[in-house]
Amino acid sequence: MNMELLHEGKSKQIFATDNPARVIIRFKDDATAFYNIKRAKIENKGKMNCAISSLLLGYLNENGIATHFVEQTDDHSQLCRVVEHVAIEVIVRNVIAGSMAKRLGLEEGIVPENTIFDICLRDAELGDPLINDHHAVAMGIVSYEELETIYRTSAKINALLTELYRKAGITLVDFKIEFGRDEEGRMVLADELTPDTCRLWDIETGDRLDKDRFRRDLGRVREAYEEVANRLRDALK
Ligand code: UDP
């Protein structure tokens, strides 16, 4: 590839294209956790994450969710719309796990009656702290109206993904998403949707099929990501 590298993150590179309104996002094999303290290369992860994210974003586009995804361009890359990123992460939780279990002293695996939406400030130096709507508005990151759109869209995304993953024999435990504003100022989903940013548990066995295999040294990381890609391909047939 001979394109200008605009940005390199932990798991992806962003390249310019001839069209200023489009970028290429390239998925890498690098895995990091705990703010870069734990690092590894996982063979095939970039390819699997690109495949999984492209399948899921394409599926959301087809089901009325505006996303930045245009098309997959090769094994590792996607063509995406340029958006102005909003500096919050939205975490949607269907099952209690991870930081929520730890923070509130709850058992992992509890299924609450409601869906839980967290918002976190995207600031690695501060450790991406949990914030609330008023903080986000006070900091000038979003308006209350935009937050309403973000929560409504996140709930729709959750319903669509939960149903698709159920068909694939997988419980969508939780996931993180980010949004951006397009040229018209509309909120669009502008993120990857991969096992790096979700918790996915096998419905039958409870087996972890996501980045927790890497974070918690459970082994078979590559196999889990390949399994998710294969099952999603089947579920979408
Ligand atoms: N997550 C993410 N990026 C972050 C924080 C969380 O992709 O910066 C994902 C994580 O993989 C999980 C969900 O969001 O699927 C909830 O994460 P949690 O708050 O439980 O944090 P963790 O336990 O991963 O530190």
Side-chain angles (χ1 to χ4, degrees), residues 66-160:
T67 83
H68 70 158
F69 175 73
V70 179
E71 61 181 351
Q72 184 168 350
T73 50
D74 67 35
D75 274 1
H76 285 80
S77 310
Q78 295 175 338
L79 181 68
C80 291
R81 294 157 66 190
V82 172
V83 297
E84 180 206 345
H85 271 268
V86 171
I88 55 173
E89 297 182 337
V90 181
I91 295 176
V92 183
R93 301 177 188 274
N94 298 308
V95 181
I96 306 299
S99 73
M100 178 164 176
K102 229 183 241 169
R103 197 173 58 244
L104 301 181
L106 299 170
E107 191 96 12
E108 273 205 327
I110 293 174
V111 182
E113 297 222 338
N114 56 333
T115 306
I116 296 161
F117 299 88
D118 289 341
I119 57 171
C120 299
L121 180 66
R122 275 182 50 207
D123 186 328
E125 267 182 37
L126 294 176
D128 298 336
L130 184 65
I131 57 171
N132 67 27
D133 293 5
H134 309 293
H135 299 166
V137 174
M139 293 177 78
I141 298 170
V142 275
S143 66
Y144 283 111
E145 292 72 28
E146 285 178 324
L147 278 170
E148 234 179 270
T149 306
I150 285 174
Y151 286 122
R152 199 177 52 244
T153 309
S154 300
K156 273 192 209 156
I157 293 169
N158 186 38
L160 285 163

Side-chain angles (χ1 to χ4, degrees), residues 90-232:
V90 181
I91 295 176
V92 183
R93 301 177 188 274
N94 298 308
V95 181
I96 306 299
S99 73
M100 178 164 176
K102 229 183 241 169
R103 197 173 58 244
L104 301 181
L106 299 170
E107 191 96 12
E108 273 205 327
I110 293 174
V111 182
E113 297 222 338
N114 56 333
T115 306
I116 296 161
F117 299 88
D118 289 341
I119 57 171
C120 299
L121 180 66
R122 275 182 50 207
D123 186 328
E125 267 182 37
L126 294 176
D128 298 336
L130 184 65
I131 57 171
N132 67 27
D133 293 5
H134 309 293
H135 299 166
V137 174
M139 293 177 78
I141 298 170
V142 275
S143 66
Y144 283 111
E145 292 72 28
E146 285 178 324
L147 278 170
E148 234 179 270
T149 306
I150 285 174
Y151 286 122
R152 199 177 52 244
T153 309
S154 300
K156 273 192 209 156
I157 293 169
N158 186 38
L160 285 163
L161 293 183
T162 296
E163 174 59 17
L164 179 63
Y165 271 117
R166 195 192 52 75
K167 275 194 206 149
I170 292 170
T171 302
L172 177 59
V173 170
D174 58 30
F175 59 97
K176 183 269 305 175
I177 45 178
E178 294 170 17
F179 289 86
R181 293 181 192 91
D182 71 7
E183 319 80 62
E184 271 95 50
R186 282 178 307 223
M187 275 296 159
V188 303
L189 175 63
D191 200 3
E192 64 180 83
L193 288 173
T194 69
D196 280 358
T197 57
C198 306
R199 285 197 169 88
L200 304 168
W201 296 354
D202 184 280
I203 286 179
E204 296 284 314
T205 64
D207 213 14
R208 292 346 192 217
L209 297 170
D210 56 62
K211 190 171 163 184
D212 274 348
R213 300 208 72 82
F214 171 67
R215 292 191 193 98
R216 301 179 186 186
D217 293 321
L218 301 175
R220 292 189 291 112
V221 185
R222 172 185 173 169
E223 289 80 354
Y225 282 53
E226 287 170 351
E227 175 88 24
V228 172
N230 288 335
R231 289 205 210 176
L232 282 176

